[in-house]
Amino acid sequence: MSCEKNSNKAARVAGQSGINQAGSKSGFTAGATTQVSFFSRAGRKSDARRRRKRSQKANKSNGRRAQVSFFERDQAADEPKKAPAWTESLPSQRQIYISRDFTPEELNKLAVQLLLGEAATARHMRELNSGQSRGIGHSDPRPMDWAQSDQRQYQFLVEQLRRARRGNGYIDTSSLKKNDLVELWEFTRFEADRAHRNIDHLTSGLSHLKGPTADYLAGGHKLEARFYSFLADQLEHIIPEEALVRENW
């Protein structure tokens, strides 16, 4: 009788749990198959609940990671990009490249002509200090301040041309202040005009120099004219516009 009551109680519990009562009853009395099925099904429900909880936690965790990743990408986009270590520095706007427009042979000739110009200016300054003159045909109208300014320009160009010929290929004006740049610009313009006047004199037939000598000297003045005109044009891109307007006014 006790077994029957227990069997009926098990059947009621099985029915409430959605398990077939007959099978539950026979399983309880036999102690085998259906009892395993009952606990197995309940275990599957428990496992399912655990999987849902794990899935919900994983989704929340993924959401947090995705959100962090989003902001990390946004922050990375705002950060300035660093230049590669191997990137070469670009030339400064104060550098005038001459090796692109003049051959090594032309630069060698210009180096000699600049040294001669510097020497002639230094001689003129000595004559001004001594009060002596070299006479007609050799006089120089430049006053002392003008000659001193020209000497500074010659010295600067001699040194820069020496460096350009040794490998860097440019004249670096970064050490010059605005007034120095204007002074160099005025010098190059005047020397370009002077070279053109000499060319006209030698090629017009008015000079006492003729033939190969006149041609040789005219060729040197043509190189000077091209060099000084090139420098003057490049300096106009470096000097502030208001300074050029003031000087031309």
Side-chain angles (χ1 to χ4, degrees):
M1 188 70 178
S2 174
C3 290
E4 185 178 357
K5 288 182 178 180
N6 290 335
S7 177
N8 292 335
K9 183 177 180 180
R12 287 196 301 270
V13 172
Q16 292 174 358
S17 301
I19 304 175
N20 184 274
Q21 295 182 7
S24 176
K25 183 177 179 178
S26 62
F28 181 82
T29 54
T33 307
T34 309
Q35 186 176 2
V36 173
S37 175
F38 169 77
F39 288 103
S40 175
R41 184 172 299 182
R44 283 197 299 271
K45 289 183 179 181
S46 178
D47 290 340
R49 284 196 296 271
R50 285 195 295 270
R51 283 196 297 270
R52 284 197 298 270
K53 289 181 180 180
R54 284 198 298 267
S55 177
Q56 291 172 357
K57 290 181 180 179
N59 290 335
K60 290 181 180 180
S61 176
N62 290 334
R64 285 195 297 270
R65 286 198 297 270
Q67 186 176 12
V68 171
S69 176
F70 171 78
F71 284 111
E72 286 176 350
R73 287 196 301 269
D74 187 59
Q75 183 179 4
D78 293 337
E79 292 179 355
K81 295 182 179 179
K82 296 181 180 179
W86 47 263
T87 301
E88 296 181 358
S89 59
L90 296 177
S92 167
Q93 293 181 350
R94 302 292 295 272
Q95 296 172 355
I96 301 175
Y97 280 85
I98 57 176
S99 59
R100 302 170 181 172
D101 294 80
F102 298 90
T103 65
E105 182 181 359
E106 290 175 331
L107 293 178
N108 290 338
K109 290 181 179 179
L110 286 169
V112 174
Q113 291 173 329
L114 286 172
L115 288 171
L116 292 175
E118 181 187 9
T121 303
R123 182 177 61 245
H124 174 58
M125 292 172 62
R126 289 194 300 269
E127 292 173 355
L128 290 175
N129 286 328
S130 65
Q132 298 177 352
S133 175
R134 298 180 65 196
I136 298 174
H138 297 281
S139 61
D140 193 327
R142 291 177 295 176
M144 180 59 76
D145 60 343
W146 185 352
Q148 289 173 339
S149 174
D150 283 0
Q151 188 182 45
R152 288 194 298 270
Q153 312 316 316
Y154 278 123
Q155 290 173 345
F156 174 78
L157 291 177
V158 165
E159 176 62 20
Q160 290 297 320
L161 190 58
R162 181 184 63 82
R163 295 183 181 183
R165 291 166 58 218
R166 287 186 175 182
N168 64 16
Y170 59 81
I171 291 175
D172 189 357
T173 65
S174 59
S175 63
L176 301 180
K177 298 180 181 178
K178 182 173 67 174
N179 292 338
D180 298 329
L181 286 171
V182 172
E183 201 170 341
L184 179 60
W185 173 66
E186 291 177 337
F187 171 79
T188 55
R189 292 178 67 199
F190 181 86
E191 290 301 311
D193 290 340
R194 184 184 62 79
H196 282 297
R197 288 195 300 270
N198 288 330
I199 295 169
D200 293 340
H201 180 69
L202 290 167
T203 57
S204 63
L206 299 176
S207 174
H208 67 284
L209 299 173
K210 308 292 183 181
T213 302
D215 293 339
Y216 174 79
L217 293 175
H221 290 309
K222 288 178 181 179
L223 178 58
E224 284 184 308
R226 185 158 64 90
F227 176 70
Y228 286 120
S229 297
F230 173 79
L231 289 184
D233 180 66
Q234 295 298 312
L235 287 168
E236 288 180 5
H237 296 287
I238 297 174
I239 300 173
E241 184 177 357
E242 64 273 12
L244 295 176
V245 172
R246 184 171 60 252
E247 292 298 322
N248 285 326
W249 186 263

